[in-house]
Amino acid sequence: GKYYLHILINETYIEGSPIEIDITPGIPIIDKKELEEEEMKRRELMRQQEILERKKEAEEKQLKLEMMLKAKRERKELEDKRRKATEERAAEALKRLKQNIKETEKKLAEERKTRKELITGAVSYTHLTLPTYSLCRSRWPPQHQKK
């Protein structure tokens, strides 16, 4: 049926234009098209919220992965620096060792040269092993020497 819309403003009724409404007892008067539009809006809002939540989760995962990768790169850089420092110390130690070997070889060569100069001729085993407290180092007693 057609009914007139009456509005009460400041205790004064304002008569409106006729509208067609379906009055069923116990059911609120709601336009079906409006109800469908509201349901569509609600679903769209829920879908958008879900999309935003997924996007936020994806961004958080991405940030976490980036932080993990950055930490991994920093650890690798630190390990590389340590390895390089160790290699440099080892190279320096090897260089010092080679220098020491050269110096030792040079000293040995000088000692050999000095020994050769001291030894003027062949020396027998007995001369090297006999005691040095007497003047004569021969096997014969000192009386054999002619004075």
Side-chain angles (χ1 to χ4, degrees):
K2 288 192 179 185
Y3 296 89
Y4 287 94
L5 179 63
H6 296 282
I7 302 174
L8 176 65
I9 299 177
N10 296 331
E11 297 181 16
T12 307
Y13 283 105
I14 300 173
E15 196 171 306
S17 58
I19 59 169
E20 194 171 318
I21 56 173
D22 181 19
I23 298 178
T24 307
I27 297 178
I29 302 170
I30 299 175
D31 186 11
K32 192 174 185 180
K33 185 176 179 183
E34 187 179 313
L35 183 62
E36 289 173 356
E37 287 175 0
E38 295 228 0
E39 181 64 22
M40 285 176 53
K41 286 180 185 178
R42 186 183 67 77
R43 286 182 183 169
E44 181 63 23
L45 269 173
M46 287 177 62
R47 190 177 68 77
Q48 287 177 357
Q49 284 178 337
E50 190 176 321
I51 290 171
L52 286 174
E53 287 174 7
R54 286 182 185 170
K55 186 177 179 183
K56 185 178 178 182
E57 288 174 5
E59 288 173 351
E60 288 174 354
K61 285 181 181 179
Q62 180 71 23
L63 181 62
K64 188 176 180 180
L65 284 173
E66 287 173 0
M67 289 173 62
M68 288 172 58
L69 288 173
K70 182 180 178 185
K72 187 176 180 180
R73 277 193 307 270
E74 289 173 351
R75 279 194 307 271
K76 186 176 182 338
E77 288 173 1
L78 183 61
E79 289 173 3
D80 289 346
K81 285 180 183 178
R82 287 179 181 166
R83 187 180 307 111
K84 185 176 179 182
T86 302
E87 289 172 356
E88 287 173 355
R89 285 193 304 270
E92 187 63 33
L94 183 62
K95 183 179 175 182
R96 284 193 307 267
L97 184 61
K98 286 180 179 180
Q99 184 65 30
N100 288 343
I101 290 172
K102 284 181 183 179
E103 290 173 5
T104 304
E105 287 175 345
K106 186 176 179 182
K107 287 178 184 177
L108 284 173
E110 288 174 6
E111 276 187 40
R112 287 181 188 139
K113 183 179 177 184
T114 304
R115 284 183 187 171
K116 283 182 182 177
E117 289 173 357
L118 290 176
I119 299 173
T120 54
V123 178
S124 71
Y125 176 77
T126 56
H127 284 87
L128 294 174
T129 57
L130 288 175
T132 58
Y133 55 84
S134 66
L135 292 174
C136 179
R137 288 188 175 186
S138 72
R139 292 187 210 179
W140 306 106
Q143 292 82 7
H144 83 280
Q145 286 182 343
K146 294 181 182 177
K147 294 185 181 185

